[in-house]
Each structure stands twice: as C-alpha cells, then as structure tokens.
Amino acid sequence: MRVLFRADAGASIGAGHVMRCLAVAEAVQELGGDALFAAASLPSALEERLRAAGMAVHRIDAAPGSAADLAATLAIAVEAGTTAIVLDGYGFSDGWRAGLAETGLPILAFDDAGTGEPIHAGLIVNAAPDAGLLPYRKGNPGARLLLGPAYAPLRREVREAAAAAKPPLEERRGLLVTFGGSDPLGLTAPVIERLAPRLPTGVRLDVAVGGAVRDAAAVEALAGRFKDSVRLHPAPPRLGAVVGPGGPAASAAGPPAGGRWGHRPPAPGPSARRKSAGSWKATP
C-alpha cells in the first residue's frame, strides 16, 4: 500500500490540511504501508517534520489548484506507484478533482464545506459536529461518508497523550495558547499581552507557535518580557506533549481542533471560532 497525500500549508491557509493528513499517513505506516506527500506550498518546518517521520515529500512548482499542479500530482502518483490518494484543501476546483479521479485510484477527500457539490472521491471525511446534516448525498450519491467527530483524525502523539496519566485539572498550573500552524489573524501576541500580566501566582502560559507563524519574532519578544509566566514552544514537534498535561486553553477552532482536544480535557477553556470572514467570537 502506497498512499499519496496532496495538501498545502502556509501563512494564509494554516497547517491544518497537512497535519490531519499526517494523522492518516501515520496510520498508513502503522499498517505497513508507505506515505508520501505532494505540496505546492509547504513551510520548511513542516517539510522537515514529514521527512523525519519517514515520509517522502515532493515539491510541486505550480500554483495550487492549477492545471500544472494537477499534471504534476498525476505524474508523482504514477512515478511513485501510488495505490490510493488523500486530498485535503479548499483550492481544488471541480475540474481539478474530476481530473484526479480519472486515475481510477481510490480517493479519500477531507471536506469542511458540505455544499452538496461533487467532490469526486469514494470516501469523504468531515469531522465537524454538524456534518451529518450537510447535503453530501446530493452531489456524491455513491460515496462513503464518514461524518462527525468520531472520524476526526488524531496524530500518534495526540493518541499517546490521551492514553497517558494526567493530574487532576485543579492541579494543573498551565494555560495553553495556540492558534494553529500559522495563526493567520495574528492572535498569539495580543493574547499573551492580555493574559500574562493577569495570571495568578504559580500559573504559566504554555504558548505553542506554529512553524508558519509570520509574527513569530514578536511572539518571542513578548515571551521574553514575561519570561517568569510564559513558556514558549516554537514549532513543537510533539504538540501532544504540550497539550496533554495542560489545563484550559485559548485556541482557534478549525480542522486541527480535534487533534488538540483528542486528549479530552475535563474543561477546555475559551476558543476563538470563525463566525464570518474577518469576524471572530469567543465560544465556551
């Protein structure tokens, strides 16, 4: 079994597409298969992580979702002897997806929209709580649907953190702050500046900074200002080790959120959820 994962990551789109593909890729390896990635956009920190996990990475020199991107993806699939494809991303048009499906290979597609349009995949995954209410059958009558939180892919590190013993919530002295692999709205620095001076004695902020965060220098400078109450985790290779023993969290919902909460904390803190373009609100 050799599975090709086609997903991108970057400052504007985050790292969630690649990271949930990584969860499936690890499962492929655990079943004795090979996992390889193809990407038109991928921060070096993520590429290094994939390669360190024993996964080949193919760079595509074309605009994501373009005809040249499709041609390159098809060429990689043929050259690598791919037996199945996993696709994750918003920038692939109906025509692009249809062209990929012409390979005749089994395709798993992650989707977060559920508009009812054809996705051109035999297996469709959407782990959102309300995914079962979306009109997937309208455009994908023959697809197998894996819908709802039970199908959220969890990386190996998160599964290990979930199984590890943890102290009671009242004994945990850390507040996790993480806004994904890129923090596209630049929320990490202002959250540190607002929370750090107000922490009770003995409580710290554990701040995970993704490898594609653009204002990482500003975040590092703020962490230095509050060095007694802020512990910085730059591009942590094992986020589960940071999340697992922590207490409440300030975070952002989205595709990777299931991975952050796979350890089932007793009382997760507030998160930021996208309400509409450019508008965010706090949710319990």
Side-chain angles (χ1 to χ4, degrees):
M1 173 173 56
R2 177 163 290 180
V3 182
L4 172 64
F5 294 81
R6 175 66 186 89
D8 295 314
S12 61
I13 63 174
H17 301 297
V18 170
M19 295 307 284
R20 65 181 170 188
C21 281
L22 174 58
V24 179
E26 289 175 337
V28 168
Q29 289 181 326
E30 290 168 9
L31 291 172
D34 294 324
L36 58 150
F37 279 75
S41 173
L42 188 68
S44 58
L46 274 181
E47 179 174 355
E48 291 169 6
R49 174 162 186 174
L50 295 175
R51 292 189 184 279
M55 301 168 189
V57 178
H58 298 263
R59 290 277 187 172
I60 294 176
D61 187 16
S66 65
D69 175 14
L70 175 60
T73 301
L74 294 174
I76 293 169
V78 172
E79 181 182 349
T82 298
T83 56
I85 298 174
V86 174
L87 182 65
D88 192 339
Y90 304 142
F92 305 112
S93 67
D94 178 78
W96 199 102
R97 291 172 179 272
L100 188 66
E102 288 179 2
T103 61
L105 293 172
I107 296 176
L108 179 157
F110 283 104
D111 183 72
D112 300 314
T115 62
E117 298 299 317
I119 294 177
H120 303 285
L123 191 61
I124 299 172
V125 183
N126 183 339
D130 62 349
L133 303 176
L134 301 176
Y136 279 106
R137 285 293 176 210
K138 178 181 177 182
N140 308 276
R144 182 180 178 188
L145 305 178
L146 303 182
L147 308 177
Y151 297 103
L154 300 180
R155 298 191 305 278
R156 183 182 300 120
E157 58 172 300
V158 177
R159 288 182 272 129
E160 291 173 351
K166 289 174 278 294
L169 183 62
E170 61 271 15
E171 296 180 11
R172 305 182 198 181
R173 310 303 294 170
L175 172 65
L176 174 68
V177 176
T178 175
F179 291 100
S182 68
D183 185 11
L185 294 184
L187 297 175
T188 304
V191 166
I192 293 175
E193 194 162 23
R194 189 68 178 268
L195 292 181
R198 296 169 172 81
L199 291 174
T201 302
V203 176
R204 69 175 185 277
L205 293 182
D206 281 301
V207 181
V209 183
V213 172
R214 284 177 286 195
D215 63 345
V219 173
E220 185 175 356
L222 269 175
R225 275 177 51 194
F226 300 106
K227 60 180 181 296
D228 292 334
S229 57
V230 176
R231 184 164 60 182
L232 202 62
H233 304 270
R238 293 179 60 82
L239 184 59
V242 180
V243 174
S251 186
R260 285 195 294 272
W261 309 129
H263 66 293
R264 301 183 186 277
S271 66
R273 181 179 67 184
R274 191 183 332 232
K275 183 180 180 183
S276 60
S279 174
W280 291 70
K281 71 175 183 178
T283 61

